[in-house]
């Protein structure tokens, strides 16, 4: 599932044949995408139309449109298929949606730092990491308590996040400092910095 900002749609690629098998129209300038096999749905953020489109994996049709703050970009879903998280770019919030059997319920909002970007959710959706891009740090959210419980300083302008929950590591891709911060999630501190190419996204 590949978002295409210029044509406002999503390409569906069959990995067995390496070819595009469908194109799904979504909102304006789609950016983030997460496919949840547990939920049977694909979720796409559309920052210019301020919403999230929900696609049924089986039919490859849009089945729901969710209001999502101001310019939603980052997105992730818990592995159990019950929780969806969206970064409200201009609103400075993490939006938490509950995924039901038939539809996604309206969000709860959790205040975070400046320009939240990438998100990495725990498998059960009880916690979520958020890249606070303009604060040069990542925040750990307790979802039930709806608050930030920890923050870790990283490189300049963290954007994308990847959580290796089993390995106890969070990886933050820093656009301006051209590196990856490796965070020990138990100790909640950076344990390594890996230089990469220019302006990584």
């Amino acid at each position: 599932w590949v978002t295409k900002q210029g044509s406002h749609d999503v390409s569906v690629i069959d990995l067995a044949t390496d070819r595009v098998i469908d194109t799904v129209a979504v909102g304006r300038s789609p950016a983030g995408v997460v496919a949840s096999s547990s939920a049977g749905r694909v979720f796409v953020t559309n920052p210019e139309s301020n919403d999230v489109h929900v696609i049924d994996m089986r039919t490859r049709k849009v089945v729901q449109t969710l209001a999502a703050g101001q310019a939603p970009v980052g997105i992730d879903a818990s592995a159990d298929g019950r929780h969806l998280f969206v970064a409200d770019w201009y609103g400075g919030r993490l939006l938490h949606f509950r995924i039901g059997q038939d539809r996604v319920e309206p969000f709860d909002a959790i205040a975070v730092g400046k320009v939240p970007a990438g998100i990495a959710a725990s498998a059960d959706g009880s916690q979520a990491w958020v890249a606070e891009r303009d604060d040069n740090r990542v925040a750990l959210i307790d979802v039930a308590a709806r608050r930030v419980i920890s923050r870790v300083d990283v490189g300049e302008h963290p954007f994308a996040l990847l959580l290796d929950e089993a390995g106890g590591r969070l990886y933050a891709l820093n656009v301006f400092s051209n590196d990856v911060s490796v965070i020990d999630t138990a100790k909640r501190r950076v344990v390594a910095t890996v230089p990469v190419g220019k302006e990584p996204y």
Side-chain angles (χ1 to χ4, degrees):
W1 304 84
V2 181
T3 55
K4 298 181 302 184
Q5 289 195 306
S7 53
H8 315 297
D9 55 30
V10 175
S11 289
V12 186
I13 298 174
D14 184 329
L15 297 180
T17 61
D18 289 338
R19 66 185 184 89
V20 175
I21 57 172
D22 210 344
T23 300
V24 183
V26 290
R28 298 288 301 170
S29 299
V33 59
V34 62
S36 172
S37 56
S38 299
R41 280 165 274 185
V42 177
F43 306 93
V44 179
T45 56
N46 306 297
E48 288 192 10
S49 51
N50 298 326
D51 53 29
V52 172
H53 275 61
V54 182
I55 303 169
D56 183 293
M57 276 186 168
R58 183 179 57 83
T59 64
R60 301 197 287 272
K61 304 293 185 187
V62 173
V63 294
Q64 194 175 355
T65 301
L66 309 169
Q70 304 171 60
V73 177
I75 189 168
D76 199 14
S78 59
D80 63 9
R82 298 173 60 192
H83 303 272
L84 177 69
F85 300 96
V86 175
D88 185 352
W89 182 267
Y90 291 125
R93 303 179 299 171
L94 175 68
L95 310 182
H96 171 223
F97 299 84
R98 289 173 176 81
I99 304 171
Q101 185 171 354
D102 299 318
R103 56 188 295 107
V104 180
E105 300 302 322
F107 63 79
D108 295 324
I110 302 163
V112 293
K114 295 178 183 176
V115 190
I119 301 169
S122 65
D124 64 359
S126 64
Q127 294 184 333
W129 292 88
V130 180
E132 298 175 323
R133 194 197 70 164
D134 284 9
D135 290 326
N136 299 328
R137 64 192 183 192
V138 297
L140 177 60
I141 310 298
D142 182 314
V143 175
R146 294 175 59 185
R147 65 182 183 89
V148 175
I149 57 174
S150 186
R151 284 188 163 99
V152 180
D153 292 329
V154 291
E156 280 190 81
H157 274 44
F159 191 84
L161 299 181
L162 177 68
L163 178 62
D164 174 6
E165 202 163 7
R169 293 289 184 269
L170 177 76
Y171 301 91
L173 194 60
N174 304 306
V175 179
F176 281 8
S177 54
N178 306 324
D179 53 30
V180 177
S181 297
V182 183
I183 297 164
D184 183 315
T185 56
K187 296 178 180 177
R188 299 178 189 171
R189 63 180 180 86
V190 173
V191 293
T193 301
V194 183
V196 293
K198 187 177 180 180
E199 296 182 358
Y201 276 92

